[in-house]
Amino acid sequence: MLGENKPWLIPGAALQMQWEIKWYEFVKRSVPQHFFVRCNQKGETAKDIFTEKHTDLVQAGGEWLFKTSESCSVVAALIATVAFATSATVPGGVKENVGTPNLEDKPAFDIFAISSLVALCFSVNAVIMFLAILTSRYQERDFRIDLPRKLLVGLTSLFLSIASMLISFCAGHYFVLMDKLQYTAILVYAVTCLPVTFFAVAQFPLYFDLIWATFKKVPQRSYKVAPL
């Protein structure tokens, strides 16, 4: 049953539901198998009681996941659009007779080409993960592994796509300022990245809570159940 006292309180309804399922499975492994097929005076099994008492938590977790995935999918789609346009652009143009980039020997061009492709791949992957969450059935068993894992992969891909997009922008724009500002351009780009850095820092608590709730195990028993 979902009681008022929760010494293992996890922030967020979805993560709390994942933790509740872990405790349910822990209790199920800790007692003899035939205990879970027995019914109480109302004819309810342990599984029936668990499902009934956690209906509101499942609904709240589904709504939170839907809103989070909806917002993140919009950001990921915008990044994918920008990354696609950036990856199809060649800074400095190409050589007329050969068709190779004019700046192909510059290290900044290699950084630009690689980071733009990485941003495109991770942003598309983030969109796919968030769309998979949006189209999920939000059933009780989905909160155990499926939904948290998709959210974790989606957020990781989103953070990596944002970082890659900024690197691509700085590497491509470096050719504009390298003759005028030289090494001062690095400081300018560092300041430009501050707003996104603040956004990432603000989202890291949710990210770390998700990792902790996904990989943390409930306390294991120090005894063994004697077989009947």
Side-chain angles (χ1 to χ4, degrees):
M1 299 178 65
L2 184 62
E4 296 294 334
N5 184 22
K6 304 182 185 66
W8 55 85
L9 182 62
I10 306 295
L15 303 184
Q16 179 66 33
M17 185 61 201
Q18 181 190 29
W19 199 240
E20 291 286 334
I21 296 176
K22 284 187 176 183
W23 272 102
Y24 172 82
E25 294 176 349
F26 166 70
V27 174
K28 187 176 182 179
R29 293 191 302 265
S30 301
V31 298
Q33 291 285 334
H34 65 278
F35 277 20
F36 270 73
V37 297
R38 295 184 177 181
C39 301
N40 59 7
Q41 295 179 353
K42 298 180 180 180
E44 299 173 328
T45 62
K47 178 64 175 177
D48 296 334
I49 297 175
F50 181 84
T51 302
E52 179 185 355
K53 297 300 181 180
H54 291 77
T55 302
D56 295 338
L57 190 61
V58 170
Q59 183 178 0
E63 293 177 356
W64 178 81
L65 281 173
F66 186 88
K67 293 180 180 178
T68 303
S69 301
E70 191 175 31
S71 302
C72 292
S73 62
V74 173
V75 177
L78 292 176
I79 295 176
T81 303
V82 175
F84 178 79
T86 303
S87 61
T89 303
V90 180
V94 296
K95 299 177 182 178
E96 295 182 359
N97 298 329
V98 184
T100 57
N102 294 321
L103 303 175
E104 60 179 345
D105 297 329
K106 302 291 184 179
F109 180 82
D110 296 334
I111 296 176
F112 169 82
I114 296 174
S115 59
S116 60
L117 181 60
V118 171
L120 177 61
C121 294
F122 278 110
S123 59
V124 171
N125 185 65
V127 172
I128 294 174
M129 288 295 103
F130 291 129
L131 288 179
I133 296 176
L134 291 174
T135 56
S136 177
R137 296 168 295 178
Y138 299 104
Q139 294 184 353
E140 178 185 300
R141 63 175 180 269
D142 296 335
F143 287 86
R144 174 63 177 90
I145 297 177
D146 186 48
L147 291 176
R149 181 173 55 188
K150 289 178 180 178
L151 182 60
L152 181 61
V153 174
L155 289 176
T156 303
S157 301
L158 180 60
F159 288 145
L160 291 176
S161 63
I162 293 175
S164 301
M165 183 186 65
L166 285 175
I167 295 175
S168 174
F169 165 76
C170 295
H173 201 264
Y174 177 75
F175 296 108
V176 180
L177 301 178
M178 63 179 181
D179 295 332
K180 298 180 181 180
L181 300 181
Q182 296 183 353
Y183 295 105
T184 311
I186 299 177
L187 179 61
V188 175
Y189 296 140
V191 175
T192 305
C193 297
L194 284 179
V196 180
T197 303
F198 292 151
F199 169 77
V201 171
Q203 296 298 321
F204 272 156
L206 170 62
Y207 187 72
F208 289 135
D209 288 338
L210 181 61
I211 294 178
W212 187 88
T214 301
F215 296 102
K216 179 69 175 179
K217 295 182 178 179
V218 298
Q220 300 299 308
R221 66 178 185 269
S222 59
Y223 63 92
K224 294 183 179 180
V225 177
L228 298 177

